[in-house]
Amino acid sequence: IAFDNPDSPLDLEQVLVTNGAELFMVFDRNNQKGKIEEHHLDIFHFDYATDISQRIIIGMAEYLITDARYAYDELNDRVVGTGFVSQDNASRSDGIFYFGFDPAYPEGQSLSILEIPKSLISSILSTPAIQKDQSLEGLKAKNLVLRKDGGALLAAEITRVIERQIASSGRMVSANFSIDYYYEDVLLLAIHPEGTLHWHSVLHKRQFSQDDNGIYSSFFMATTPEALRFVFNDEIRYENTVSEYVVNGLGRQFRSSVLSTENQKLRLRFSDAMQVGPNELIVPSDFRNKLRLVRIRY
């Protein structure tokens, strides 16, 4: 594949391959404050069955993308993208964007910019969302779930990484650092195919660890015929309880315990788990240099 006058290759965001031998490459161009008026998504579409290619441009309406996910909807023949945007601060998100279009009719694409609901911000911050602060820091788009109606559900997580310099004998040692990892609440945002918000919810959790790259934190999202299951470690320690949130298509949720790792010699890495069936997943455990595989079956 050859591009005429390509921009920096670092702006390639995601590559999508369809069951019909079509390829979509999503580029995020000029996603920086100094060039915000030129910010747009370039989507290059290659159909290997017909050897036809096209370029689809989606203007971002003077918003910066802070994080996003893209997917191809095989059921509805649509390219779908959603994520978070900011008007002036790439480290904080104050809105949600969504688009979907049929690649056979790219001129039908439209971009929707939605405000992050005040009630959602208040639930996360545990304080009322005030008018001058309608943004969230550390939002990472983790999973994009396609809906049968052509809409989408975005699962995002609030993460923070804090690097601290360690003092020794009353004097600062420049080469001695400790890194704290915080993986906190999960946001669920269900969006109609026309780009309006259907429902939203928050799955509360608090995970903290140090100097481990956060490998035991975060969650795994399993898709089952009945619901979505968000499975995670309650705490990042050797003796731990594994919990899950079960969420149905209307956003109703309940939390329950899945298993205990007490006396099991397990440290489960849910960010590296794999779903191997409609009701079954495999989770690797890394405990004192020993690898074990744990099967969870519903």
Side-chain angles (χ1 to χ4, degrees), residues 205-219:
K205 69 177 180 67
R206 291 289 187 273
Q207 296 168 317
F208 167 74
S209 63
Q210 288 182 309
D211 301 326
D212 66 350
N213 287 323
I215 60 174
Y216 306 105
S217 300
S218 197
F219 63 90

Side-chain angles (χ1 to χ4, degrees), residues 207-274:
Q207 296 168 317
F208 167 74
S209 63
Q210 288 182 309
D211 301 326
D212 66 350
N213 287 323
I215 60 174
Y216 306 105
S217 300
S218 197
F219 63 90
F220 180 77
M221 187 193 72
T223 58
T224 70
E226 301 83 13
L228 298 175
R229 295 178 180 268
F230 296 83
V231 195
F232 57 94
N233 291 311
D234 272 347
E235 298 178 86
I236 311 305
R237 61 180 187 177
Y238 289 105
E239 306 294 331
N240 175 53
T241 301
V242 174
S243 294
E244 70 171 355
Y245 281 99
V246 181
V247 184
N248 70 7
L250 295 176
R252 299 188 182 97
Q253 57 171 274
F254 70 88
R255 178 172 176 164
S256 62
S257 296
V258 178
L259 60 92
S260 172
T261 62
E262 185 175 1
N263 299 321
Q264 298 295 317
K265 297 181 179 180
L266 296 174
R267 296 197 76 185
L268 297 172
R269 298 171 57 154
F270 282 100
S271 59
D272 297 317
M274 177 181 295

Side-chain angles (χ1 to χ4, degrees), residues 93-137:
S93 304
D94 52 31
I96 309 154
F97 82 90
Y98 172 85
F99 69 83
F101 64 88
D102 184 341
Y105 306 98
E107 62 276 4
Q109 54 97 355
S110 62
L111 175 71
S112 297
I113 303 292
L114 311 173
E115 184 181 82
I116 298 178
K118 297 180 178 63
S119 58
L120 188 149
I121 297 175
S122 297
S123 177
I124 294 170
L125 300 179
S126 299
T127 56
I130 57 178
Q131 187 65 31
K132 66 180 181 180
D133 185 13
Q134 292 296 311
S135 63
L136 291 171
E137 187 175 7

